[in-house]
Amino acid sequence: MRELTLEDIEALAVGAWILGTGGGGSPYLGLLNMRRLYAEGARVRLMPPEELADDDAVAVLSNMGAPLVGQERLADPANIARAVTLMEEFTRIRFRAVMSLEIGGNNAIQPLMAAAHLGLPVVDADCMGRAYPEAQMTSFAVGDLRPYPLSMVDPRGIEGIVARVPSWKWMERLSRKMCVELGSIAATCKAPRTGAEVKRWGILHTTTKAVALGQAVRKAQREHRDPIEAILHAEDGRLLFRGKVTDVSRRTTEGFLRGTARLDGLDDWRGRRFDLAFQNEWAVGWLDGEPHVMTPDLICVLETATGEAIGTETLRYGQRATVIALPAPPVFLTERGLALVGPRAFGHDLEFRSVFAS
Amino acid sequence: MRRRIGVDVGGTNTDGVLIEDGKVIAAHKTPTTEDVLSGVREALSAVAVPDVQGVMIGTTHFVNAVVQRRDLPRVGALRIGMPASRSLPPFCDWPEDLATLVRGAVHMVEGGVDYDGRPIMPLDERAIAAAARQMRAAGLSCVAVSSIFSPLDPAMEERAAQILRQEMPGATVTLSHELGRIGLLERENVALLNAALIPLAAHTLQAFEQAVAAAGIAAPLYITQNDGTVIRAELAARFPVLSFASGPTNSMRGAAFLTGVQDALVVDVGGTTSDFGALKAGFPREANTVVQIGGVRTLFRMPDLLSIGLGGGSLVREEGGRLSIGPRSVGFRLTKEAIVFGGGTLTATDIAVRGGRLALGDASRVASLDPAFAAAALAEAARMIEEAADRMKADAAEVPLLAVGGGAFLVPDRIAGISEVLRPANAAVANAVGAAIAQVSGEADQVFHGLSRSEAMAEAERIARARAVDAGADPASLSLVDIEDLPLAYMPGGALRVRARVVGDIREAP
């Protein structure tokens, strides 16, 4: 177990945004909260999952809702901490630690905010390894772990529990309705996990991975070296394409941001093209019309000059962008994993093939 | 349009022009003075004639006050929306030095609305009154009010303003929904900056009025805004942040006027930077992203600008076989340090003289420079300009590029993706011309309930027209330049948010 420095958390915000693979919401407001908490003397410890006892209880946290609403009703550490204590009151469980639902984007910081309030450590793990748009797209769902109960908290003192559901899909449906009623933003504590479950089904060491990724980028920027080279080196990634954005089309359907983007090649890729499809996050990429990279491989679109991630909401014509792939957590490469987060789960009738297979 | 005077007060120079029936009759350039006022006085008196219909002044004075942290009073912040957003209070992401200077008081009270129009909590009017009394007792007289989702429903901010005016007579009140967009912290930051600038604005605009009177001009004074239009000085005093980017905006508008081209990219090449913008129907395209001002994150009506470190004074170096230009520059010391002026620093200007692009200084001093090196350096400058121009384009279609500014010789005549490069005459005072030709605008941005889409859009246009006329426009000349509707899918009763903007000529005195 080690104490996270503010420098670690600054790096975490950069790395988490890259692991957001285009979605997950900017970690900026979470980072602002952490800067304030650290200035007030709070400190957060990071706990290796190996240190969990099999019967320890772990709270899995996320801020649920529409990113736009999150720009007005700003995430509050007291609120996410209350989701944890509410779950404790309902289940009579005492949590040993908290962890993140998704390491990609804004939710990477939520457990740190709760931890600072509660004095609990943060487990170095999550259950997505990136960002995904729906509740059943987790490694815990791949493991068919119990999807309930869930606690949900609003700053007005409105508190709810989803006590029992037959499936992760039902959990998504019920909790989504509650969240919309509260103003489309709510702090949630998902179904409690045991230490054994986290060690068996969690995606481990992802906080450390995001911090390292962010540190590599920040160090390269400071030293005027190529930050993308640093990312590829730090994470064993693949450079897929370098070009400029020549077309973006977006539409909002069923609460998701969907669309396509096109890049025309520069440098070694001059004369070639790369197309991307997204649903909140980047889902599939085609090189010269041929499927080239697809979820669950992590597709990251980065600003060529700075190495910083570009979100599906902020990509625009003329940007110089580099597309890279990072390896998917092995749990998603199983048959059940691919059923939940493979290309078909996002409406693309493609047989999954990893860029890391060759 | 008959006779008008335009003045642009920049960081370095104050420019004045007299325009008559669309022609530049007189132009004058003078250094900007410490007090701003005497430079304006000189520019005005140099171009003044007896019968002008209007004086338009653009100034970077307000944005400079923020950047340089001077002339800023303490401001009271009133946030409505508790208990939501509690952990990130007003000023929470300001640079510490500026926050220490400006943060007079922070009050957060219950209220605010959700995206569906329902109140988060009822507005706590008693808490607002109590906060007002405390701010008054603390000697504060500038207040900024922000409320959650106020761009969707401004009623709570408006009610708060009534209470504040009752409890704090004489105080100025800035409401966030009048300036900003969705994004609580960024909109609140705009309101706080505006509140902090109101005393300086009042003082400066009064001085401008005096300077106009002293030059023997009886015409009304207008101030140019970020969007390329003007408002009457008395209105501008309420919203100084809307004048932040009037320099680049005026330059773009002036370039459009001088070339007669309405849809184009514009590049203003100065001594240290090249600033790129895009014109759509003669007006600058708006930025839709966060813009940092003096280290403060903001999101409001600002032109979309891209600045690169390339100018006439940029340093040209060759290190390890790699040629580079800028971003370091000799800046205003160009006429001392550049080689053609007898100095010892190789600048972009020297390269241009060697390459035959420009006749300036003593060309014999660069005669020994390898012509292939000069050509390579000019090609590098061209590549930088080409890439930046491409980044500013909204799509792949070719557009003209208008090149202005003292360093415009660095812009090549042929650029990929650019249909033609135009270099207007009088480009050196394009910014003052842009001020002189400015029109008046009116804007509506609100949520309509229970109206059809076409009814809501017609209503928004009607409100915008009325506001333009209030601001001094000739009703017969008004035209709609921008209208967009955003369906708010979750709001009850099919609510629709419509933004409409009209512009028209300034109404001439009878």
Side-chain angles (χ1 to χ4, degrees), chain B residues 125 128-129 132-133 136 158-171 173:
Chain B
E125 301 195 358
I128 294 173
R133 287 191 290 273
R136 185 181 174 185
E158 281 160 359
R159 177 66 190 126
Q162 283 178 345
I163 299 170
L164 289 168
R165 291 199 178 101
Q166 256 163 28
E167 300 286 344
M168 305 175 73
V173 179

Side-chain angles (χ1 to χ4, degrees), chain B residues 78 80 109-110 122-136 143 145 155-173 175:
Chain B
L78 176 68
I80 303 168
V109 305
E110 289 187 351
L123 182 64
D124 188 345
E125 301 195 358
R126 287 177 59 183
I128 294 173
R133 287 191 290 273
Q134 280 184 42
M135 289 192 275
R136 185 181 174 185
V143 183
V145 182
M156 289 193 186
E157 285 189 359
E158 281 160 359
R159 177 66 190 126
Q162 283 178 345
I163 299 170
L164 289 168
R165 291 199 178 101
Q166 256 163 28
E167 300 286 344
M168 305 175 73
T172 65
V173 179
L175 305 181

Side-chain angles (χ1 to χ4, degrees), chain B residues 46-73:
Chain B
V47 299
V49 287
D51 55 335
V52 275
Q53 274 74 47
V55 177
M56 285 76 185
I57 301 184
T59 177
T60 52
H61 203 42
F62 307 141
V63 73
N64 286 348
V66 175
V67 173
Q68 297 164 9
R69 274 90 164 118
R70 56 177 171 79
D71 300 324
L72 301 172

Side-chain angles (χ1 to χ4, degrees), chain A residues 46-47 49 52 57-62 80 84 95-103 107-112 114-115 120-129 138-140 188-195 197-199 201-207:
Chain A
L46 186 67
M47 182 184 195
L52 283 169
V58 178
V60 183
L61 306 180
S62 87
I80 189 82
V84 177
F95 286 115
R96 171 72 184 88
V98 297
M99 68 176 270
S100 172
L101 175 81
E102 60 181 333
I103 196 67
N107 274 327
I109 316 275
Q110 296 297 319
L112 277 66
L120 293 175
V122 175
V123 180
D124 189 359
D126 75 318
C127 59
M128 290 187 176
T138 68
S139 57
F140 294 151
T188 61
C189 178
K190 313 293 187 195
R193 299 274 73 104
T194 64
E197 285 174 330
V198 171
K199 285 183 279 185
W201 288 104
I203 300 172
L204 307 182
H205 310 119
T206 46
T207 303

Side-chain angles (χ1 to χ4, degrees), chain A residues 28-29 32-33 36 68-69 71-77 155-156 180-184 244 255 316-318 320, chain B residues 83 85 87-89 92-93 114-115 118 120 148-149 182-185 187 297 304 387 390-391 393-396:
Chain A
Y28 175 71
L29 293 169
L32 270 189
N33 269 304
R36 291 178 68 81
L68 182 77
V69 176
Q71 296 297 310
E72 290 282 326
R73 287 181 54 173
L74 315 177
D76 183 340
R156 289 165 288 196
V180 166
E181 246 344 88
L182 290 173
S184 269
K244 74 164 201 168
R316 67 170 199 175
Y317 178 91
R320 266 52 183 173
Chain B
S85 306
S87 66
L88 296 175
C92 69
D93 65 345
D114 268 319
Y115 69 93
R118 290 183 298 180
I120 297 172
I148 294 182
F149 274 120
I182 301 288
L184 176 64
L185 290 184
R187 182 175 69 252
R297 288 162 50 91
D304 195 2
E387 180 174 328
D390 190 51
R391 293 184 69 143
K393 288 168 65 172
D395 54 49

Side-chain angles (χ1 to χ4, degrees), chain B residues 231-488:
Chain B
I231 45 175
R232 285 227 191 91
E234 56 269 27
L235 267 174
R238 283 183 58 210
F239 299 119
V241 295
L242 292 183
S243 305
F244 269 177
S246 58
T249 295
N250 285 339
S251 167
M252 276 192 256
R253 294 260 306 146
F257 178 80
L258 292 168
T259 56
V261 175
Q262 298 290 296
D263 293 280
L265 298 180
V266 182
V267 59
D268 188 341
V269 188
T272 305
T273 63
S274 296
D275 301 323
F276 291 80
L279 285 164
K280 198 182 137 203
F283 287 93
R285 182 174 75 211
E286 268 181 43
N288 267 323
T289 49
V290 166
V291 175
Q292 296 232 7
I293 294 161
V296 179
R297 288 162 50 91
T298 67
L299 187 57
F300 69 120
R301 202 167 71 195
M302 288 286 273
D304 195 2
L305 295 171
L306 173 67
S307 199
I308 62 169
L310 174 71
S314 291
L315 268 50
V316 180
R317 281 154 302 173
E318 192 172 18
E319 282 165 347
R322 220 182 116 85
L323 194 151
S324 72
I325 308 182
R328 286 181 55 206
S329 165
V330 297
F332 64 88
R333 298 184 310 274
L334 179 72
T335 52
K336 288 193 185 72
E337 298 194 5
I339 291 174
V340 290
F341 291 114
T345 310
L346 186 64
T347 67
T349 297
D350 298 312
I351 294 296
V353 171
R354 182 68 184 96
R357 287 263 187 98
L358 180 70
L360 194 69
D362 180 358
S364 68
R365 297 180 141 274
V366 288
S368 62
L369 210 61
D370 178 3
F373 177 77
L378 285 172
E380 172 62 9
R383 188 198 62 77
M384 292 167 77
I385 289 167
E386 183 174 304
E387 180 174 328
D390 190 51
R391 293 184 69 143
M392 284 305 287
K393 288 168 65 172
D395 54 49
E398 288 202 340
V399 287
L401 174 67
L402 316 184
V404 299
F409 55 81
L410 289 173
V411 181
D413 286 325
R414 281 168 182 251
I415 298 177
I418 295 295
S419 56
E420 57 181 331
V421 175
L422 298 171
R423 303 168 195 275
N426 283 317
V429 288
N431 43 13
V433 171
I437 56 142
Q439 294 173 295
V440 180
S441 72
E443 195 175 65
D445 179 0
Q446 64 189 69
V447 177
F448 297 93
H449 301 268
L451 295 182
S452 73
R453 180 168 176 272
S454 57
E455 286 168 342
M457 291 176 82
E459 181 61 10
E461 184 177 344
R462 191 193 63 73
I463 294 167
R465 282 175 179 270
R467 288 188 178 156
V469 171
D470 280 350
D474 174 0
S477 70
L478 290 177
S479 66
L480 184 70
V481 288
D482 206 4
I483 189 157
E484 62 170 342
D485 62 312
L486 292 98
L488 303 169

Side-chain angles (χ1 to χ4, degrees), chain A residues 122-174:
Chain A
V122 175
V123 180
D124 189 359
D126 75 318
C127 59
M128 290 187 176
R130 47 171 291 173
Y132 274 125
E134 293 182 61
Q136 74 280 4
M137 297 175 168
T138 68
S139 57
F140 294 151
V142 175
D144 210 11
L145 304 185
R146 200 177 71 175
Y148 61 87
L150 169 142
S151 70
M152 185 177 289
V153 169
D154 169 279
R156 289 165 288 196
I158 305 169
E159 303 181 339
I161 299 278
V162 178
R164 200 177 182 90
V165 283
S167 67
W168 287 98
K169 262 284 186 197
W170 268 106
M171 177 54 82
E172 166 71 23
R173 290 167 69 177
L174 282 191

